[in-house]
Amino acid sequence: MAEFTAVGDAIHNDFFVVTGSSFADDLQLLFETAVGTVTVAPNVVRPQLAFVAQLPASVPTGRHWLRLRHGGTTTERIPVEVTAGPPYTVCVLYSGRPKPSPYTIVFVANPAIESQAGDTFNADPVLTNRAGYHSAVAYCLQNILRETEDLLRAGGTDAQMRFVSVFDATLAAQQENALAHEVSPNIMETPFNRLGVLASFLTRFHEVADVVFVLHGSTTHTRASAWFTRDDNSRPTVPFTYDGVARQHGRFSSIPGSCAIPVTEDTTAMTALHEFGHAASDFNNGRVVDLYVNGTAGGFMANKKFRAQATDPVPANFATYNGTNYNSDPNRDALGYPATWTSYHPQPIDATRPNLMDNFFLSFDTPLRCRLDQLTYAWMRDRLLAKLGR
Amino acid sequence: MPTTRGLVQSIKLDPGFRTGPNQPDFCYVFIGPSPTNTTVFGISFGSPTDPTDGRSLYFASVVEALSGALFARREVEVNDDTTIGLIDGLRVLPG
């Protein structure tokens, strides 16, 4: 009996995913016929899934037997019918835990870009670059699920999450389809003044998201950004205390968290998980903010505090979260606080590299090994578990 | 530039992510008279971050042609770089 299942259809140049259990990192997909075999190595492997960004056209159309080879073993085979296309508009990449409201991350090919002034809407070039979009989805999945920081995958929690892709090249360049907004000089954001468009857009595709990755093709506004989730605290919540103040992790959101990332994003960077860190935090009960600037994002920030004077010492204790004390980072990892800064941060998990929410490009080896600080990790894990547990 | 003639016995496609960030996709082609008697050749797909890169499209087409030859049991002739076995020319022979 085969120990895996193919998700959806096998279509040239579309996503192709197999699911199962105990997949090893060396997994390969063997497409066999009576005369030969094409072996495809997935872009991303987790114990429960193997993800191919685009099924190569070198796997011929027609009936194949599909086996998996991993961990020194080869599975039984299942039949797979490979077709030439067209690729689907909506692809469920992984269905997550079977329940009414699984925690859901949606990748969207942005249909239209809103100008900074908000008076024009232009077609997003990503709609004519499906290959680039697929590569960007692969990068994001690799980045949030496979690098050193295990925020989403610790304890196998990513196996409970639903992942979906939406690529609809038929949509017109108009406001209701514009999920990206240009901000001078080079930032692309999800449209802050009308973030409700994200949920209404996805409703057309029968999806409800917790976090939306808006992937765009702009070549002028290539700096990624994110907006926090707005939890719906009229629905069930999980209470917590932060410095003695009672707050809530919402199990549901009224507006999903969101980030805008260019399909040309540098894959040596931790941009996808960094932006997820912002997007998955909450406007009202804890914002996870950038640590590479001294400024404040306003509201309650979970990962940044300020001294009265830049010359004041960094307090030893950063915060008390749910009764546990978390220390401050006296040295800002290995980077050091500039003399004029009043802000300070929680103690990092890895003191030798920059915090994932700081300037990870300054890592001494590779940004891909950067991690969060201890407090933000604990706080964000609890937040994810609150939503996964709904 | 050596030329090798034979049947395509199998093809293995490896996305660049498996070898590191920003690495090109790679294809291994096993050519020889039988599955247990082959020579392995490589094809590098060029820039993975620019799928419109002409070099990437060219080598993707070469792999498709090799795949067609594999499943049609047609012989091929490949030209390869003398040092590292990278295919830089292909002819699918008449059946």
Side-chain angles (χ1 to χ4, degrees):
Chain A
M1 181 173 174
E3 304 92 346
F4 67 99
T5 304
V7 178
D9 296 327
I11 299 173
H12 281 169
N13 299 315
D14 205 353
F15 300 110
F16 183 68
V17 178
V18 296
T19 64
S21 60
S22 303
F23 289 171
D25 283 351
D26 65 349
L27 184 140
Q28 297 179 330
L29 292 79
L30 281 58
F31 291 87
E32 301 173 343
T33 71
V35 295
T37 300
V38 174
T39 303
V40 178
N43 296 72
V44 180
V45 178
R46 289 286 297 138
Q48 70 279 4
L49 72 87
F51 167 86
V52 177
Q54 286 197 288
L55 185 65
S58 49
V59 179
T61 57
R63 173 61 63 93
H64 293 259
W65 293 105
L66 175 61
R67 299 178 195 271
L68 307 182
R69 181 186 296 150
H70 65 111
T73 64
T74 303
T75 66
E76 295 294 313
R77 61 188 193 177
I78 64 171
V80 170
E81 189 76 23
V82 176
T83 62
Y88 281 119
T89 300
V90 180
C91 282
V92 177
L93 305 174
Y94 188 73
S95 58
R97 175 168 284 186
K99 61 183 192 177
S101 300
Y103 186 86
T104 300
I105 295 173
V106 179
F107 302 97
V108 180
N110 176 52
I113 296 173
E114 179 183 3
S115 65
Q116 170 139 357
D119 53 354
T120 58
F121 299 90
N122 294 310
D124 191 317
V126 72
L127 292 188
T128 57
N129 182 12
R130 183 142 193 161
Y133 169 76
H134 282 239
S135 292
V137 172
Y139 157 69
C140 290
L141 285 172
Q142 170 77 14
N143 203 253
I144 65 176
L145 298 181
R146 291 269 319 175
E147 304 301 352
T148 304
E149 178 51 72
D150 66 354
L151 178 68
L152 277 77
R153 71 171 185 272
T157 46
D158 58 323
Q160 302 178 37
M161 298 176 181
R162 176 180 171 87
F163 295 91
V164 180
S165 162
V166 177
F167 187 108
D168 189 345
T170 69
L171 297 175
Q174 56 197 45
Q175 187 179 49
E176 66 188 42
N177 298 326
L179 309 182
H181 172 227
E182 294 174 339
V183 177
S184 182
N186 65 346
I187 299 172
M188 192 70 82
E189 66 166 6
T190 49
F192 176 70
N193 291 326
R194 48 185 188 86
L195 284 173
V197 72
L198 295 162
S200 59
F201 178 87
L202 293 177
T203 297
R204 287 187 258 159
F205 301 97
H206 311 291
E207 290 294 337
V208 177
D210 289 276
V211 172
V212 185
F213 281 84
V214 175
L215 301 174
H216 65 86
S218 173
T219 55
T220 57
H221 292 70
T222 54
R223 184 167 173 178
S225 71
W227 282 113
F228 317 107
T229 302
R230 284 186 194 273
D231 280 356
D232 182 355
N233 285 359
S234 68
R235 302 178 75 183
T237 64
V238 175
F240 68 89
T241 59
Y242 190 107
D243 286 343
V245 177
R247 297 182 178 276
Q248 296 86 37
H249 290 304
R251 290 194 185 275
F252 296 86
S253 62
S254 57
I255 296 178
S258 57
C259 53
I261 294 178
V263 294
T264 52
E265 183 59 49
D266 177 2
T267 61
T268 65
M270 285 304 293
T271 305
L273 189 53
H274 173 100
E275 300 303 341
F276 177 89
H278 294 310
S281 67
D282 179 37
F283 260 108
N284 299 313
N285 278 277
R287 305 176 180 193
V288 172
V289 300
D290 285 323
L291 301 182
Y292 55 80
V293 289
N294 187 41
T296 173
F300 166 53
M301 292 171 283
N303 66 333
K304 183 189 276 189
K305 288 188 175 181
F306 293 87
R307 294 165 281 172
Q309 305 287 333
T311 51
D312 292 345
V314 172
N317 184 51
F318 185 85
T320 302
Y321 171 60
N322 273 345
T324 300
N325 290 328
Y326 288 87
N327 290 335
S328 301
D329 179 1
N331 304 316
R332 193 186 166 214
D333 321 317
L335 302 179
Y337 294 102
T340 57
W341 281 23
T342 56
S343 63
Y344 64 100
H345 315 151
Q347 189 172 52
I349 294 173
D350 178 353
T352 67
R353 297 183 176 84
N355 190 311
L356 178 63
M357 302 312 295
D358 205 326
N359 189 349
F360 50 72
F361 289 105
L362 298 180
S363 179
F364 70 90
D365 51 1
T366 167
L368 299 177
R369 293 183 183 158
C370 290
R371 300 201 62 190
L372 289 168
D373 59 81
Q374 296 173 20
L375 169 61
T376 305
Y377 182 89
W379 183 87
M380 188 64 87
R381 281 290 297 172
D382 287 350
R383 188 168 160 72
L384 288 172
L385 291 172
K387 293 187 183 302
L388 289 165
R390 68 195 176 206
Chain B
M1 183 180 295
T3 298
T4 301
R5 178 172 174 160
L7 290 167
V8 181
Q9 298 294 344
S10 65
I11 294 172
K12 177 183 173 185
L13 292 149
D14 231 348
F17 277 117
R18 298 300 285 258
T19 49
N22 284 342
Q23 294 302 304
D25 290 347
F26 210 83
C27 176
Y28 304 90
V29 185
F30 298 81
I31 296 173
S34 73
T36 56
N37 183 8
T38 62
T39 302
V40 63
F41 297 90
I43 297 176
S44 172
F45 276 59
S47 169
T49 54
D50 182 5
T52 60
D53 177 357
R55 184 164 164 262
S56 181
L57 292 172
Y58 167 72
F59 284 114
S61 301
V62 170
V63 173
E64 282 186 47
L66 285 162
S67 170
L70 164 64
F71 289 97
R73 303 306 289 164
R74 299 264 294 274
E75 278 196 312
V76 297
E77 275 184 2
V78 296
N79 301 321
D80 66 284
D81 176 279
T82 53
T83 53
I84 51 177
L86 290 173
I87 290 177
D88 51 17
L90 167 70
R91 190 158 77 100
V92 180
L93 301 174

